[in-house]
Amino acid sequence: MSGWLQTPLTEALGCRYPIVQTAMGWVADANLVIATTRAGGFGFLAGATIPAHELEGEIRQVIDATGGSNFGLNFHMFQDNAAQCVDLAIAYRLRAVSYGRGPDKQTIARFKAAQVLCIPTVGALKHAIKAVELGADMITIQGGEGGGHTGGVPSSILLPQVLDAVTVPVIAAGGFATGRGLASALAAGAAGIAMGTRFLMTRESPTPKATLERYLKVNDPQQVRVTTAVDGMRHRMIENRFINHLEQAGPFGRLRIALGSAWQWKQHTGMSLGHMAGVFLRALREDPSALSQVVMAANQPVLLQRSMVDGQPDDGILPSGQVAAAIGELLSCQEVIEGIAREAEQCFDSLLARQGSQRPANQPISIGEPL
Ligand SMILES: Cc1cc2nc3c(=O)[nH]c(=O)nc-3n(C[C@H](O)[C@H](O)[C@H](O)COP(=O)(O)O)c2cc1C
């Protein structure tokens, strides 16, 4: 491998390639992280959907299989077991944590003391600035074309904005699946790329066949659209029967659908009626007009579970980046990562060849300097 792909990301995260597999609910499990790590990338476990009693086992599984803690854990401060995620990441000295709505300064100080790097994901410039003020060691920007909860600014605009505003390394996410994408992000000054959808669509992905076939069928990026019908926030997903039904239902219809899913989630998790009633009453107090959204947000795992675990792609939600439309086959994580690395190097080499100069062997690319 040449020096083009050695960046502050590979240095800080201790991986061979500047390629990150992001956390995805019900998808980024120990097996996916193991496959990513073995292939030279850096993987995050999806702490938000791994049941609390299994989380430590998943962490140990990755450590045992890869011989170290060179991987990360993703969590959200609003999830029930956020404190457990923080404690486990510190106890096992994981290399990094990622999160959306972030922990407070005290928690970040605990991570720093344990040398766990904090890498929040942001969808807007102001959130990047705030995250760095709070102590982020790196920032992942997610452009609006990215999968799951997503902002409205495309990667091509957000990346340079954030690069200009912060001094920590920046990872580009949202719409990446190729070596050309990696080369362009590095040339712009990013320290690497992070991908969700491309890793979801791999052979090591735990996603059921029927659901993966649905992802493979998408061939128009417009079929992967944003809806706010699920929880009031921008959420990018593949259009399907469930989402159309939800959008067309009136406020009462939505509430009925939300309560139905909440009931299913209760049966699955053993959640008490008291807890369910608490969510309901809190929503009523906070904003009665957003009741269905709050109830729906609370039981989002079940909507994901139907499609991503039970293999019923029309009965749940299918979070996805628009890039799904450009992915035509399931490759192994190794094929994905090595293919992207190879293509990125070719891009840099052909740029130099066009200028008539040759890259000195093993000369690392200097991030932030023009080629
Ligand atoms: C199925 C799916 C589930 C996701 N779940 C989470 C999650 O639990 N936590 C999180 O921070 N981001 C989540 N995301 C967002 C991804 O981590 C990532 O930022 C995004 O997929 C990047 O854009 P891309 O899909 O174009 O690669 C999810 C994305 C997908 C596609």
Side-chain angles (χ1 to χ4, degrees), residues 219-364:
N219 53 19
D220 175 359
Q222 314 253 41
Q223 290 170 281
V224 190
R225 63 182 179 81
V226 167
T227 181
T228 55
V230 175
D231 56 9
M233 291 189 279
R234 290 173 52 88
H235 212 160
R236 190 175 286 287
M237 53 189 68
I238 296 172
E239 185 171 273
N240 70 350
R241 192 174 61 203
F242 177 80
I243 214 65
N244 287 335
H245 178 52
L246 191 64
E247 285 179 339
Q248 280 154 21
F252 285 111
R254 265 187 224 179
L255 184 57
R256 191 178 46 73
I257 297 168
L259 289 173
S261 317
W263 185 255
Q264 241 184 299
W265 188 228
K266 176 196 165 330
Q267 305 291 86
H268 178 81
T269 58
M271 186 200 292
S272 70
L273 264 180
H275 184 92
M276 231 179 115
V279 171
F280 193 78
L281 288 175
R282 212 168 43 245
L284 261 181
R285 262 198 313 271
E286 280 169 14
D287 183 2
S289 65
L291 187 57
S292 63
Q293 285 172 357
V294 176
V295 178
M296 195 73 92
N299 60 61
Q300 226 178 119
V302 84
L303 304 181
L304 262 178
Q305 197 186 18
R306 286 183 200 153
S307 40
M308 310 312 273
V309 181
D310 300 341
Q312 296 163 4
D314 260 317
D315 297 333
I317 57 176
L318 300 167
S320 172
Q322 289 188 285
V323 74
I327 299 173
E329 58 179 337
L330 303 179
L331 300 174
S332 69
C333 288
Q334 187 175 355
E335 286 166 337
V336 166
I337 291 175
E338 289 184 352
I340 288 177
R342 209 169 30 246
E343 190 182 78
E345 289 187 322
Q346 283 163 3
C347 288
F348 288 126
D349 286 345
S350 66
L351 259 185
L352 283 181
R354 260 189 261 163
Q355 285 186 323
S357 52
Q358 282 296 316
R359 161 173 50 93
N362 270 335
Q363 173 166 321

Side-chain angles (χ1 to χ4, degrees), residues 154-226:
S155 301
S156 56
I157 295 174
L158 187 57
L159 177 62
Q161 274 187 323
V162 174
L163 282 166
D164 278 345
V166 304
T167 50
V168 299
V170 179
I171 304 166
F176 291 91
T178 63
R180 287 179 169 140
L182 173 58
S184 64
L186 292 178
I193 56 168
M195 304 183 293
T197 304
R198 178 63 272 196
F199 280 104
L200 183 156
M201 298 172 74
T202 56
R203 288 211 288 274
E204 290 91 346
S205 166
T207 310
K209 196 162 166 266
T211 302
L212 279 177
E213 274 166 9
R214 196 57 189 274
Y215 278 79
L216 282 168
K217 259 197 205 141
V218 173
N219 53 19
D220 175 359
Q222 314 253 41
Q223 290 170 281
V224 190
R225 63 182 179 81
V226 167

